[in-house]
Structures are given as structure tokens and as C-alpha cells.
């Protein structure tokens, strides 16, 4: 299977469709576009004009970077696309995140091992406390 990696955002429609395919629910397209517009970095995987995966980085671009929405269409999972997208994210972070910056993410349940292969560590609570989030 041949796919292309492009450093560009998906459309709001493509973003929403990918989220729905993995069970993350539908979002308002205006909200999706605003969210994409406020991201620091985007990368997509495509077959022809079809977006089959994406990842993005959000944050302030100086001290805090957050890996967000690494999502692959379920029909194309376990084919190395997530690794290819995450490698692009890591290249961006290597260039952009200077010493003292924090890079974080929230892993989907059961996907922690994937991120440890990129040197992310689980926060068990000591010494920094456990990671927390709030969904609205």
C-alpha cells in the first residue's frame, strides 16, 4: 500500500470524519476548523486525495507542546502509518522544543507502549503527580 505523508492540515470535514471513525464522536465543523487553525503543526497520511491518518501538535510553541489527535482510519491501522506520522511529529518537536520545554500527550487506553517507543514515559504519580484531564 502506497501512502503519502504531507505536512499540512486535514480539512475540517476530514478531521471530523477521522475522529468519528475511531469513535471519538462528531464535532461541529466550525469548531474543528478553529481547532485546526490554532495548531502548531500538522501532518497527514493520504492515499490519493483520501486522508487516512493525521497528527498535530498544539501548545504555546515555546514552553509547552502537546501531541494531539494522532488518529488513523481503522481500516489502515497496524500498517506503520502511525509510526510514520509520529516520526514527523518528533522531527518538528526536535526543532521547535528547546531545552526546558515540556512535551506531553494523553494516550488512548492500550496505546501507551506505542508512545514509549518514542521515549514518552507514563506518569505514575511520583514525583510529578498523575496526569489529569477534563472533558467538556
Amino acid at each position: 500500500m502506497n501512502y503519502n505523508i504531507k505536512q499540512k492540515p486535514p480539512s475540517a470535514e476530514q478531521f471530523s470524519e477521522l475522529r468519528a471513525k475511531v469513535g471519538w464522536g462528531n464535532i461541529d465543523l466550525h469548531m474543528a476548523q478553529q481547532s485546526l487553525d490554532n495548531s502548531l503543526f500538522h501532518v497527514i497520511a493520504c492515499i490519493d486525495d483520501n486522508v487516512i491518518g493525521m497528527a498535530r501538535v498544539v501548545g504555546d510553541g515555546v514552553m509547552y507542546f502537546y501531541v494531539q489527535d494522532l488518529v488513523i482510519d481503522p481500516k489502515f491501522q497496524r500498517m506503520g502509518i502511525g509510526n510514520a506520522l509520529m516520526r514527523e511529529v518528533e522531527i518538528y518537536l526536535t526543532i521547535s522544543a528547546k531545552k526546558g520545554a515540556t512535551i506531553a500527550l494523553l494516550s488512548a487506553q492500550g496505546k501507551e507502549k506505542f508512545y514509549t517507543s518514542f521515549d514518552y514515559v507514563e506518569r505514575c504519580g511520583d514525583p510529578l503527580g498523575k496526569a489529569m484531564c477534563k472533558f467538556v
Side-chain angles (χ1 to χ4, degrees):
M1 175 195 53
N2 291 327
Y3 60 88
N4 294 309
I5 300 294
K6 301 175 184 177
Q7 290 185 6
K8 63 181 255 182
S11 69
E13 292 83 3
Q14 293 164 329
F15 177 44
S16 183
E17 288 171 13
L18 276 174
R19 289 176 49 88
K21 286 179 180 180
V22 297
W24 291 355
N26 293 314
I27 57 172
D28 173 79
L29 291 180
H30 180 69
M31 179 189 291
Q33 189 61 59
Q34 286 183 305
S35 185
L36 291 168
D37 290 345
N38 287 310
S39 300
L40 299 171
F41 175 80
H42 303 269
V43 61
I44 57 173
C46 303
I47 297 177
D48 299 320
D49 290 332
N50 299 316
V51 175
I52 60 169
M54 67 163 288
R56 64 189 181 117
V57 176
V58 300
D60 65 16
V62 181
M63 288 184 60
Y64 300 101
F65 298 83
Y66 183 80
V67 179
Q68 182 67 42
D69 296 322
L70 175 59
V71 56
I72 312 299
D73 182 321
K75 292 186 282 189
F76 298 98
Q77 291 178 0
R78 302 203 177 276
M79 296 181 180
I81 298 166
N83 273 302
L85 293 173
M86 195 63 189
R87 282 192 303 273
E88 294 292 318
V89 166
E90 289 296 309
I91 291 167
Y92 166 78
L93 292 169
T94 298
I95 294 166
S96 301
K98 306 300 182 213
K99 185 172 175 65
T102 298
I103 302 169
L105 60 84
L106 289 175
S107 174
Q109 188 172 10
K111 304 293 185 185
E112 297 86 357
K113 187 175 179 184
F114 172 81
Y115 293 107
T116 61
S117 70
F118 291 94
D119 298 325
Y120 290 84
V121 296
E122 292 184 58
R123 285 181 54 171
C124 64
D126 292 325
L128 299 174
K130 291 188 177 192
M132 300 175 74
C133 64
K134 179 179 181 178
F135 296 104
V136 180

